[in-house]
Amino acid sequence: MAIFLAIFMLSNGWLEETTGTKVREALLNGVKEVAAPGVPGPLCVFGEKATSIIVGRSEANLYEPVIAVGFMGKGRVAAFGHTGYLDAQALRTADTELFLINAIRWVGQKANPKVALRRNNEVAKTLRANGLEAESLDTRDWLSALDNFDVVCVYPALLSDEEIRRLQEFVRKGKGLVAADLGWGWLQLNPGKDITEHPANRLLYPAGISWAEGMLDRTSQFGFSAEIEPPNLCHAGKALDSLLAFASKQVNLREEEIAQAVCSVSTAIRTLPLTDRKFLPKLRKWAASQNETFVPNPEKPVTADNPLARLAVTLQVHEAKHLHPGKIKAHPSAKFFPGEVPKTAPRVAKVIEIDAGVPDWHSTGLYAPAGETLTVRVPENVVGKRLAVRVGAHSDTLWHLPVWKRCPDICRTFPLDKRETKVASAFGGLIYILVPRGCQLGKIWVEIDGAVEAPFFVLGKTSLDDWHKIRNNPAPWAELATDRVVLTVPSEVVRDLDNPVELMGFWNEVLDACAELAAMPQKRERPERIVADIQIGAGYMHSGYPIMTHLDAAKVMVDLACLATNSHGAVWGLFHEIGHNHQSPDWTFEGTGEVTVNLFTLYVLDKVCGIPPERTREELSREGRADAIRRYFGAGAKFDGWKRDPFLALIMYVQVQESFGWGAFKRVFAEYRKLKPQERPRTDDEKRDQWLIRLSRTVGRNLSRFFEVWGVPVSEQAKTAVGDLPIWMPEDFPPKFEP
């Protein structure tokens, strides 16, 4: 099969495999491993002459390029998936410095090319120390000096359109370019924009390389192993040809090869502009030849065993995210999720007041019907201030999942970069105004014309009389809001909600309790958000902004009696995910990520619901604890076993709470919050040591024996630091076993 596939690729115009091999040999000469500065993102390699050099692991545990090279005219380019690759700290890690030198020589096409860097004197010094002539160009007219150099190193996100054009001319004449940037980071800094607009992607599109969304996991201790050869199917063009050949039964592909190919092609579809003429036309031609319309829905999901169907949906979603609003039509899956708007529902125009001092999402109480064009108007002082309008609350993307019960990306944003903006979504959704951090505009007014009203309750602003009318508004999704939390649920679950005042008062108590335990102000920078969805990116629920849950939790979120009595499993889950948003890495060492979070769960259940820890779950009852402790100590009380069992580990924290009260945790968390950067623990060993010392000092007892019996390792220095305190152990602990 491998020989047939290689012949097939050659017949379709791809370079011989040995060409890519020779390029990798030149770049990896002496290199075993390169750094992973920060959290690198993937590259999309799609050009005929582009080659993946180093790969990382994707969220779906597949390979994606993090370093790639290509050709542009007579010149060469090298692309890196993080800005940190042009930073002295990363160069000092593993073989990264040697790799950069190899890359500069390869793109420069000579042993000692003359190198220009854009405002990067630190790396220029490193290059000079390696025998290269390097200079940092810091003047505004730096482009005029490029003719004196063989290679230029840049951060593309900082480039203007004119600089991009000039650099492309520079490379086409036979010069070299090294570009380091990040996809997901640029998106965070540019709300309302899309990855296709990233200046880096416009710069290297002619070379067949783009920066994609997402993050990569390491493949080695310090970053990425150079000894992992990138699979052929990491190349999106080769992957697409292979899948088309597989669909026509010209080749066989193993399951893992199909998954890898779909990953590469999907990334390319979502990264390339709609105007692409190198890659997308081939897929469009195949999709047009199919008689079937692929519509992800709960009854008939699109699954991984139909790879081209997934790519057809990916192309539909990509086009829906980039077409001009006037050309957007409702996607057929929208009627299944997020839902249809009655045709008879009034389309309204409303002026919404926004407090631009609060960052991120601002609810409007309005809904955009799928496929319909709306108009958003803002005052002149808002234009160009990086505000945006978002359609859709369901922010989880599902690209990495093997089953799609809905389209994998159903939200769309539009920058408010002019007084009047046309907005449309193929899927529809609640409408939000996005405010960047640090905005100094104060109160602003936004007019939205053509939307449908949603059930929207704001504690302290919406009267009960008004709510009893508003709850019947026709949009399929509703929101209940306070300045601490916003709940996003299907409208059907609030149609009969009579008293949201009591409900949202309870939710305020939950958020205040979490802030109290974390020793943080109850007045928040922004409210937390909890959104119910038909399918989410990971788990039953997950933390973040917003916290995401499955649909069955929506009814629980608005059922005060259920919440207050912990009578549904989702109650623990909701408080647990809120806890994650309050957790600190300073006092959360390895094995306790799913442990210290539940201090917040237990605190809320205790202080807000009046349910003490022993009555919250079977695992924390007296009988449940005794059984878990008996099994753990019977197996030798090994730390590895403690770390693998979150509820066992939680018992240790509950023992402290029951002996010293919640105040002990509050005081020690407050102490951590006041630490200066240099005082914070950096390693896991330091985290365990500081936790022992600070907690012991807080409760006035020496807990080192307690830690030792539980098997939690701490240093002798840490034990000595609390040696002046009286030793403490819980009553009847550790357990005594019959001989």
Side-chain angles (χ1 to χ4, degrees), residues 242-472:
S242 299
L243 288 172
L244 293 174
F246 172 73
S248 60
K249 300 183 179 179
Q250 297 180 53
V251 299
N252 292 318
L253 293 175
R254 300 189 303 273
E255 183 177 340
E256 61 269 25
E257 290 176 317
I258 293 172
Q260 181 65 66
V262 169
C263 173
S264 300
V265 176
S266 176
T267 297
I269 294 170
R270 292 181 283 125
T271 304
L272 298 178
L274 290 184
T275 54
D276 168 67
R277 294 293 180 265
K278 299 180 180 182
F279 183 88
L280 295 180
K282 189 179 293 187
L283 183 59
R284 287 195 182 103
K285 182 178 179 180
W286 174 85
S289 70
Q290 303 303 297
N291 295 322
E292 183 179 1
T293 300
F294 304 106
V295 182
N297 63 80
E299 288 73 33
K300 191 177 179 181
V302 172
T303 59
D305 59 6
N306 194 346
L308 283 165
R310 287 170 72 88
L311 295 181
V313 171
T314 303
L315 182 60
Q316 294 167 12
V317 171
H318 180 64
E319 291 178 336
K321 286 195 72 172
H322 295 91
L323 286 173
H324 185 276
K327 296 182 178 180
I328 292 290
K329 296 180 180 178
H331 192 278
S333 70
K335 67 179 181 180
F336 298 102
F337 193 87
E340 290 184 294
V341 173
K343 293 182 179 179
T344 57
R347 274 56 174 170
V348 302
K350 293 193 72 174
V351 175
I352 310 295
E353 183 184 72
I354 302 293
D355 181 359
V358 177
D360 299 319
W361 300 13
H362 285 254
S363 300
T364 64
L366 297 174
Y367 193 92
E372 296 186 20
T373 302
L374 290 72
T375 302
V376 179
R377 301 181 183 93
V378 297
E380 185 64 41
N381 68 320
V382 172
V383 175
K385 301 298 184 183
R386 297 176 49 237
L387 276 74
V389 57
R390 175 189 182 96
V391 178
H394 301 97
S395 58
D396 270 17
T397 57
L398 313 178
W399 303 111
H400 60 290
L401 298 181
V403 174
W404 294 343
K405 297 179 182 179
R406 63 160 170 85
C407 279
D409 187 354
I410 61 173
C411 298
R412 187 170 180 185
T413 58
F414 299 82
L416 294 172
D417 52 10
K418 47 187 178 295
R419 289 288 305 275
E420 184 172 290
T421 301
K422 297 296 182 182
V423 171
S425 165
F427 306 99
L430 288 166
I431 302 171
Y432 302 92
I433 302 300
L434 307 186
V435 176
R437 292 179 179 274
C439 184
Q440 303 294 322
L441 292 175
K443 297 287 180 65
I444 61 172
W445 287 265
V446 178
E447 181 184 358
I448 301 174
D449 191 352
V452 170
E453 291 188 285
F456 182 40
F457 174 84
V458 180
L459 185 66
K461 294 184 179 179
T462 310
S463 70
L464 284 179
D465 286 343
D466 286 341
W467 168 248
H468 292 150
K469 302 170 187 174
I470 292 170
R471 65 182 176 179
N472 293 312

Side-chain angles (χ1 to χ4, degrees), residues 40-156:
L43 301 173
C44 170
V45 178
F46 64 93
E48 185 172 325
K49 296 183 179 181
T51 302
S52 302
I53 304 300
I54 301 285
V55 292
R57 286 281 187 179
S58 71
E59 188 176 4
N61 201 31
L62 298 166
Y63 288 115
E64 290 191 272
V66 68
I67 302 175
V69 298
F71 298 82
M72 191 187 304
K74 298 178 181 179
R76 299 177 177 182
V77 303
F80 293 77
H82 197 283
T83 55
Y85 284 108
L86 289 180
D87 181 84
Q89 181 176 350
L91 296 183
R92 290 190 293 267
T93 303
D95 306 313
T96 314
E97 184 175 316
L98 175 58
F99 182 86
L100 180 62
I101 299 299
N102 289 349
I104 287 173
R105 286 173 172 155
W106 185 82
V107 300
Q109 303 183 61
K110 58 178 65 174
N112 291 295
K114 189 175 180 182
V115 185
L117 297 100
R118 183 69 175 121
R119 292 179 178 168
N120 198 335
N121 193 51
E122 192 175 13
V123 173
K125 290 179 182 178
T126 301
L127 299 183
R128 289 195 291 269
N130 281 272
L132 295 178
E133 189 176 350
E135 183 179 341
S136 176
L137 302 179
D138 300 327
T139 59
R140 296 185 67 179
D141 61 343
W142 66 283
L143 289 171
S144 62
L146 284 187
D147 288 341
N148 300 319
F149 295 91
D150 303 302
V151 176
V152 62
C153 302
V154 297
Y155 304 112

Side-chain angles (χ1 to χ4, degrees), residues 15 47-50 69-77 106-107 109 167-177 203-208 278:
L15 294 178
E48 185 172 325
K49 296 183 179 181
V69 298
F71 298 82
M72 191 187 304
K74 298 178 181 179
R76 299 177 177 182
V77 303
W106 185 82
V107 300
Q109 303 183 61
L167 284 174
Q168 289 173 339
E169 289 179 355
F170 173 80
V171 177
R172 287 191 176 103
K173 292 176 181 178
K175 300 298 183 75
L177 173 67
L203 175 67
L204 289 197
Y205 175 80
K278 299 180 180 182

